[in-house]
Each structure stands twice: as C-alpha cells, then as structure tokens.
Amino acid sequence: MSKFKSLGLNDTLLQAITDMGFEAPSEVQEKTIPILLEKDIDLVALAQTGTGKTAAFGFPMLQKIDVGSRTTQGLILSPTRELCLQITNELKLYGKHEKGLNVVAIYGGASIQDQARQIQKGAQIIVATPGRMKDMIGRRMIDISKIEYCVLDEADEMLNMGFYEDITEILSYSPDDKSTWLFSATMPREVRNIAKKFMHDPIEVTVGSANVGSSQVSHEYYLVNARDRYAALKRLADAQPDIFSVIFCRTKRDTQKVAEQLIEDGYNAAAIHGDLSQNQRDMVMNSFRKRQIQMLVATDVAARGIDVENITHVINYQLPDEIETYTHRSGRTGRAGKTGISMVIVSKSEVRKISSIEKKIQKKFEKKEIPSGDHICEMQLFHLANNIANTEINHEIDVHLPKLNDALESFSKEELIKKFFSVEFTRFNNYYKKSKDLNVEGGRSSYEEDQKDSTRYFINIGTKDDFDWMTLKDFLKDLLDLGKDGVYKVDVKDSFSFFNTDDTHEELVLSVFKDFQLEGRSVSVEVSKDKGRSGGGGGRRGGGRGRDDRGRGGDRGRRGERSSDRGGDRGRSENRRGDRDRGKSDSDFGGGSKDGFKKRRSGSGDDKPKFSGKRRGGGDKPESKGTGGKRRRRV
Ligand code: ADP
Ligand code: MG
C-alpha cells in the first residue's frame, strides 16, 4: 500500500499523486493529513518553507469538499498574488481527476469582474489574498457564509503585511462552526494571538523546530562599507559563476536600482516588486523559473513563498527590518532537501543584527571575506574549464576542422589552452587586477561597544504626527544629510521618538534642530539619557501593509555606492537581448514536481542549471577587445 494511501487519501487523489510523481508524503503531510481527514478540527501547523504545506492542507480539503455542489466550501487566504496563483495551480493539479472541481484565485491587480464571473460559475474552493477578498465580499460578489474549511497560509507573513484587520473582517462573514487550519513557517506572538482569537482548541503540529531556519541552509555574512555594497554583490556573484539566486532589498526602489545596475553590468538579472503589473511579474517569474534570469532582485513581499527549484543563493543585499523576515528570505533556498547558502552583505552599523538573527534561527553565521579579484579570476577560469570539459562536441564543426587546424597549427597544446583561456580571463583580470579589498576589519561589536560611539536623541514627534520609524528615518536622513546608514535605531512612540547617530554628528544634529519648525510646530531634539535600545527592527508601528509598497528611501548616499563600480558606457542596447536564448527554453515547470522529495519522474528539474554564464554580453570589461568585437563589455 502506498504511503499516501495509508494516510487515508482516496483513489482520485492517489491517482493525481502518482501522476505528479510524489512517492512519499513529507513530514508535515504525514502528520496533518490523517488528522484533518478524520475530524473536523482546528489545526496549527508549523513547518519550514518548502516542506509541502500546500498538499498538507490541499489533499484533505479536496477530499472533504463535495464537488457535486457548487457552493463555496473552502477558503484559503495567502499573502501575495504569486502565492495565491501557486496554490491555485497546485490544487488544480492535485484535483485534476475530480470532475466538476473549480478552484478560483482571487487577488488584486487583475479584473475584479472576471474574477466575479469565475466565482459565479461555482467555485468550491477560493484561494485569495486578503485585500481583494475583503473587497469582493463587501461588494457581495463572494459568499463565504457556508464555508466549512478555512486555511490561513503563511499566516505569519499575512500578519507581517498588516492583513490582520482584513482577515478579521473576512472571517466575520464565515460560519463559526467551520474548521480553521493555520499554516506558518514561524510562530511569532501575533500568530499565537490569531490562533487564540479565531480557533477553537487547535491541535498543534510542529515539524522540525519552529522559528528555526532550514537545516539545509548555511548562513554567511560579509562586512563591507555601505558604499561598497553593490561592488560586494558583484564579487559574490562573479565568484559563483553558476549562481541562481534571489537578492533581497528593502524597498521597491532599491530593488529596481540594483536590478538595473546588474543588467547594465551585463548580468542576467531582473527585478520583481509591487510596482510591476501582474503581467510583468508573471513574465519575470517565468524567465526566472526557466533560468533565463540568474539573479532575481526582489522585495520581501513580492518574493514571499515563491517556490522555485534549486536556488543556490539567497543574498541579503540589505538586512530586513524584521528578523522574522530573514527566515522567509533564506527559506527561498535549501528547499525540498537541497542545500543552499544565505549571504548577508552588512555594514558595520548593522552587524549587531546578525547576533539577533542567530538567536532566532538557532544557527551560527560564518563571517566570510568578500572574494578577492584573484580568487574570482580563478573561479571563472575553472568554471570555464569545466564547461569546456562538459561541452558536447558539435560535429558540424568537423567540415571546418582542416582549415582550423591549419590556422592554429603552429601552436602547442599548452599555448592553445593559454590563448583560449585568455579570451575569458583577460577581461576579468583587467577588471579585477586593481581591485581593492572590500572587506572591513572587525566583526560584530558587542552591545556596549556599539553604544560607545553613538549618540541617542529624543525628538518630540511620533506616530501622532504621522511618522512611523521608516518615514522618520527618511525624514532625518534627508534633513541631516548623513547618508543611508547615518541615522539608525529609530524608535517611534506616540508623541515622541528616539534615534541614533554616530557621536561625531552630535553637534550637527543639535544645530539643525535649533529653532526647527515642522508645519508650524516647533520640533525639538535633545540628547537622550537612554543611550540604549531598540529601534530598527522593533519599530514598525505603522501597521501599514508592505512597507515595501512605499518605495521610499532618500536617494542621498546611494550615489557613492554606484559610481565606484560602474563604467560610463551607455551603449547597452545591444546587450539587452543577451543570453536569453541560452537558458533552457522550456524547463518543465508547471508539472509541480520538485527535487528533493522522493519522486519517480525524471527528466525535468535536473540539478544543474543548463546555462553557461550569467552574462548577457559575456562580461565585465569596458571594451570588447579580443572577444570578437560585437559584444560590448562594461564594468
Ligand atoms: P511550503 O508551502 O511548505 O513552502 P510547498 O507546498 O510549496 O511548500 O511545496 C514545495 C514543493 O514540493 C512543491 O513544488 C510541491 O509540489 C512539492 N511537494 C510537495 N509534497 C511533495 C511530496 N510528498 N513529494 C514530492 N514533492 C512534493
Ligand atoms: Mg506554502
């Protein structure tokens, strides 16, 4: 008897499971499916990302609903459009042998009328983002008064994004006696509260230990000057020629900028964030899945829960504001039994956050050095050698062989190798030969040390004045012109706030705020006796959904970061198409079967991405000498 059968799943589902090539249930599936099938109870399940939670609630829900009826019986709330679509697609696959099944995705940014029409056809299961769902219930387009099962998927993230009120309102339209199943990777207090409020004696299932990052992921941090962030990112990428990564930035604006810089510099990169249309986001995700994009630069909101195979690296270009978010970021790699690396590029002023993250994820970070130019050249050379060794010979070349032989006759094998490799090596070497060491001395400063060179201020404005920590930080940063990391530990209270600067700036700060007025009100700043705490992470009071959606963050101070690492060359258009065709044109994705779990099917989802290099134009050098002339290089 198949392991899935022993969980109590029916034949139509078992058939679909066989079709998908799932061989054995994952741990969370094994623990939840029998319980959910047997009883109508509430359940809280905590499991890391990539452990198969969708099927853990999807299989039981599909088995329990009545497909003969057109009534909406199941509701799944999830934080983002991408996730919503991903779950919908998975459920359709799981339920493909259920005749009459209609699963409908409801999410913002697409036609509400179209969605309403789909619902009218009779959707037994609705998968929705909270915002749009609330909207449609309000307009009486959706009736959830008869649902029997409600799933809160990625509950921690929904709450992080400020969906608490929307969820409360949505659930107020649902019957009291429904079963609620909450799935989450982490269990912060907010999630506990929601479980208390909306659930009746939920059974709790934990897979692995809650709040702990995947054991498959190793964590590294790199200490650099804030202005070298981008240069450091490039080096990390250049030292990993096969990198297939998600790069996280804090704001939409930074996301867009970093992606644009990478593209200009010749990498196969793209941005994904909330300012893109649904269509654009789908396109980006598709190219990423097909490995045509090697570096996906993303906001936390846009990348949430995205399940793409074999991501090798997660790079935290900037640390998230919330420690919880780090778990989600690093969970994009090391999925389904694979290993992955989560890298953090960190400046001195933020390095203390590393320890807090370690505590949370219960894993140690390794402090690593940004690779030197020499190291990168070496990595690239051996990567190339490897590629050459593994390349299948194209016999169409055979006809030209005699002439080629003639042309190269005078060279020994050794000389040929040298010449051949010089083609690639020279441009890396030229670019990196004068490169400086980007590493900053020192490790994590202790808390006390941290306080030593820093001044904490009290300021008499706060949430009452419509500031949250982020707007206040931006306001101060711009006003004081201290650069991106010049103002930190911003902690906003109701009618006052605190913030820190390096103590060298004390005089400046006090002089700027002497007789300072804001909209007719006098604003005063004093040095605080409380040298201490908090701010940064702890301070999100605004409760607004997705600070990512605000695209804020002053432009000042960012310039330095760019200039050091870019050539002036503008003629990029010829690179634009780049290697698009180099990636596998059709990596079998929608099939839903992923590596790592045992599965029968082969032929898709192969381990190694089939691209040869991340560069569109092939590289890094300002001019194209020596490589055929047609490709433009940039630094
Ligand atoms: P989570 O929600 O926990 O992050 P997902 O539900 O997105 O994880 O599952 C991750 C991937 O693993 C999906 O692509 C899914 O199709 C696949 N998967 C789920 N269960 C199994 C299984 N039992 N065997 C093989 N693959 C599975
Ligand atoms: Mg999931």
Side-chain angles (χ1 to χ4, degrees):
M1 186 160 78
S2 98
K3 278 214 176 138
F4 280 107
K5 191 164 179 164
S6 64
L7 300 180
L9 294 171
N10 65 23
D11 287 344
T12 35
L13 280 169
L14 291 174
Q15 184 56 52
I17 291 168
T18 308
D19 295 348
M20 287 183 300
F22 292 6
E23 278 197 337
S26 69
E27 195 183 339
V28 68
Q29 292 162 6
E30 213 159 15
K31 286 189 170 164
T32 55
I33 292 172
I35 304 178
L36 295 180
L37 285 177
E38 197 182 301
K39 301 190 207 126
D40 280 334
I41 42 107
D42 287 355
L43 173 105
V44 171
L46 295 180
Q48 296 158 13
T49 49
T51 51
K53 293 193 286 295
T54 317
F57 61 77
F59 291 162
M61 186 182 280
L62 285 164
Q63 183 153 329
K64 290 183 122 177
I65 57 162
D66 173 9
V67 279
S69 153
R70 284 159 37 114
T71 309
T72 300
Q73 301 152 58
L75 169 66
I76 297 159
L77 292 176
S78 86
T80 64
R81 297 183 277 196
E82 274 73 22
L83 213 47
C84 189
L85 287 165
Q86 203 170 285
I87 295 168
T88 308
N89 289 336
E90 286 267 309
L91 290 187
K92 283 180 177 166
L93 277 175
Y94 303 160
K96 70 175 184 180
H97 299 299
E98 301 274 2
K99 291 232 160 44
L101 174 69
N102 195 16
V103 184
V104 173
I106 294 297
Y107 51 89
S111 156
I112 199 165
Q113 301 300 344
D114 286 354
Q115 291 177 354
R117 261 193 296 279
Q118 288 188 56
I119 297 287
Q120 265 162 19
K121 286 189 204 144
Q124 295 94 352
I125 299 179
I126 294 176
V127 188
T129 53
R132 173 58 65 95
M133 186 66 192
K134 188 183 103 177
D135 199 10
M136 291 183 74
I137 292 178
R139 299 202 206 177
R140 298 179 188 284
M141 288 168 155
I142 292 181
D143 174 14
I144 55 165
S145 63
K146 299 203 178 57
I147 60 166
E148 290 166 61
Y149 309 101
C150 174
V151 173
L152 304 173
D153 191 28
E154 309 270 7
D156 48 355
E157 183 63 8
M158 285 202 284
L159 297 174
N160 258 342
M161 289 169 68
F163 282 134
Y164 180 82
E165 265 119 48
D166 289 357
I167 294 173
T168 311
E169 187 171 339
I170 292 165
L171 294 184
S172 75
Y173 292 93
S174 72
D176 277 341
D177 62 356
K178 67 181 178 302
S179 303
T180 305
W181 307 339
L182 183 151
F183 284 77
S184 190
T186 61
M187 188 73 167
R189 207 180 40 238
E190 293 85 346
V191 175
R192 272 207 191 282
N193 289 344
I194 216 165
K196 246 194 229 136
K197 182 158 179 193
F198 295 108
M199 302 170 78
H200 310 289
D201 302 324
I203 293 184
E204 206 170 302
V205 170
T206 305
V207 172
S209 55
N211 283 339
V212 171
S214 158
S215 59
Q216 306 291 340
V217 181
S218 50
H219 304 264
E220 305 175 346
Y221 77 96
Y222 297 82
L223 190 58
V224 301
N225 286 316
R227 65 171 178 279
D228 289 330
R229 229 178 256 279
Y230 180 71
L233 172 66
K234 273 186 62 159
R235 287 212 199 166
L236 291 174
D238 285 343
Q240 311 282 343
D242 265 336
I243 197 166
F244 181 54
S245 63
V246 184
I247 296 158
F248 285 97
C249 297
R250 280 182 44 216
T251 62
K252 289 194 284 195
R253 189 144 149 195
D254 287 345
T255 303
Q256 186 65 32
K257 280 199 165 168
V258 169
E260 278 172 13
Q261 279 173 255
L262 286 170
I263 291 164
E264 269 192 48
D265 288 343
Y267 297 83
N268 289 323
I272 187 158
H273 54 67
D275 274 354
L276 303 181
S277 69
Q278 180 64 45
N279 228 346
Q280 288 170 313
R281 286 161 69 158
D282 289 348
M283 263 159 54
V284 169
M285 280 313 298
N286 281 337
S287 315
F288 187 54
R289 295 206 147 106
K290 291 180 187 162
R291 311 271 197 280
Q292 290 155 354
I293 289 168
Q294 232 177 323
M295 300 167 85
L296 180 69
V297 192
T299 57
D300 289 299
V301 175
R304 173 64 192 201
I306 282 171
D307 178 41
V308 173
E309 287 178 53
N310 299 328
I311 290 173
T312 59
H313 293 76
V314 163
I315 303 182
N316 294 265
Y317 185 76
Q318 294 144 337
L319 272 176
D321 301 318
E322 305 282 329
I323 295 173
E324 292 286 349
T325 308
Y326 180 83
T327 318
H328 297 307
R329 288 183 174 187
S330 53
R332 296 307 104 218
T333 183
R335 291 174 75 75
K338 290 281 164 62
T339 57
I341 298 175
S342 174
M343 300 173 150
V344 179
I345 303 174
V346 65
S347 70
K348 247 188 167 157
S349 67
E350 318 160 298
V351 74
R352 80 188 84 88
K353 285 193 190 166
I354 295 287
S355 312
S356 325
I357 297 174
E358 282 179 335
K359 244 181 249 147
K360 191 68 160 199
I361 63 174
Q362 294 172 29
K363 293 194 80 179
K364 283 277 169 218
F365 271 77
E366 190 183 346
K367 180 175 189 289
K368 302 262 277 204
E369 302 273 294
I370 295 287
S372 67
D374 282 347
H375 176 80
I376 290 169
C377 290
E378 194 180 312
M379 292 303 287
Q380 291 284 343
L381 269 184
F382 285 104
H383 177 67
L384 181 60
N386 229 9
N387 272 352
I388 292 170
N390 294 332
T391 296
E392 262 180 52
I393 290 174
N394 179 344
H395 287 287
E396 284 170 42
I397 294 171
D398 292 356
V399 290
H400 306 291
L401 209 54
K403 276 195 198 142
L404 288 173
N405 261 332
D406 287 349
L408 301 172
E409 193 180 34
S410 57
F411 303 111
S412 68
K413 175 179 170 188
E414 195 168 297
E415 281 170 325
L416 277 177
I417 292 178
K418 281 187 189 166
K419 276 183 178 287
F420 193 88
F421 277 83
S422 298
V423 173
E424 283 290 306
F425 183 71
T426 306
R427 68 190 158 78
F428 269 100
N429 194 47
N430 284 352
Y431 177 50
Y432 278 119
K433 78 181 156 205
K434 289 204 193 84
S435 64
K436 58 172 185 164
D437 183 2
L438 296 182
N439 296 293
V440 171
E441 279 301 303
R444 282 168 264 182
S445 47
S446 70
Y447 177 66
E448 288 71 31
E449 251 171 32
D450 217 62
Q451 302 305 312
K452 247 190 345 224
D453 305 321
S454 185
T455 301
R456 189 150 178 85
Y457 307 86
F458 167 93
I459 184 167
N460 65 339
I461 49 179
T463 44
K464 272 213 327 244
D465 310 282
D466 275 333
F467 282 101
D468 58 21
W469 73 266
M470 198 169 176
T471 41
L472 184 63
K473 182 173 176 168
D474 286 343
F475 166 70
L476 293 167
K477 209 170 62 185
D478 289 351
L479 186 72
L480 300 167
D481 202 9
L482 289 179
K484 208 152 121 180
D485 295 312
V487 176
Y488 45 94
K489 291 190 182 170
V490 179
D491 198 4
V492 180
K493 309 279 188 228
D494 199 13
S495 57
F496 59 90
S497 310
F498 294 98
F499 66 95
N500 279 44
T501 71
D502 291 349
D503 57 12
T504 43
H505 300 309
E506 197 178 298
E507 229 179 85
L508 167 86
V509 175
L510 294 178
S511 71
V512 166
F513 279 101
K514 198 161 177 273
D515 300 320
F516 188 85
Q517 300 252 328
L518 181 69
E519 288 167 359
R521 196 181 134 197
S522 91
V523 174
S524 66
V525 166
E526 291 162 33
V527 173
S528 163
K529 308 241 161 28
D530 164 28
K531 270 237 149 195
R533 265 299 330 116
S534 187
R540 181 158 46 78
R541 301 276 135 83
R545 115 181 19 141
R547 65 217 89 127
D548 146 50
D549 282 329
R550 281 172 258 183
R552 260 197 239 104
D555 218 355
R556 262 175 251 184
R558 202 172 289 131
R559 246 169 292 137
E561 214 175 297
R562 300 173 60 111
S563 54
S564 63
D565 216 54
R566 273 171 63 189
D569 187 354
R570 302 276 121 214
R572 101 182 73 116
S573 54
E574 61 217 273
N575 273 348
R576 269 271 142 86
R577 273 195 62 252
D579 287 355
R580 220 167 270 170
D581 315 7
R582 259 212 244 168
K584 278 198 301 184
S585 61
D586 227 334
S587 78
D588 172 10
F589 219 82
S593 109
K594 297 282 175 289
D595 285 349
F597 294 94
K598 279 194 216 134
K599 63 177 183 184
R600 222 164 280 140
R601 206 173 57 174
S602 63
S604 73
D606 40 352
D607 262 331
K608 281 201 201 91
K610 291 273 172 49
F611 49 75
S612 49
K614 68 187 145 302
R615 292 194 164 60
R616 298 188 158 203
D620 240 4
K621 205 179 69 165
E623 77 285 306
S624 51
K625 233 187 282 165
T627 22
K630 74 177 190 310
R631 292 188 287 183
R632 253 187 136 150
R633 295 276 153 61
R634 41 189 52 255
V635 174

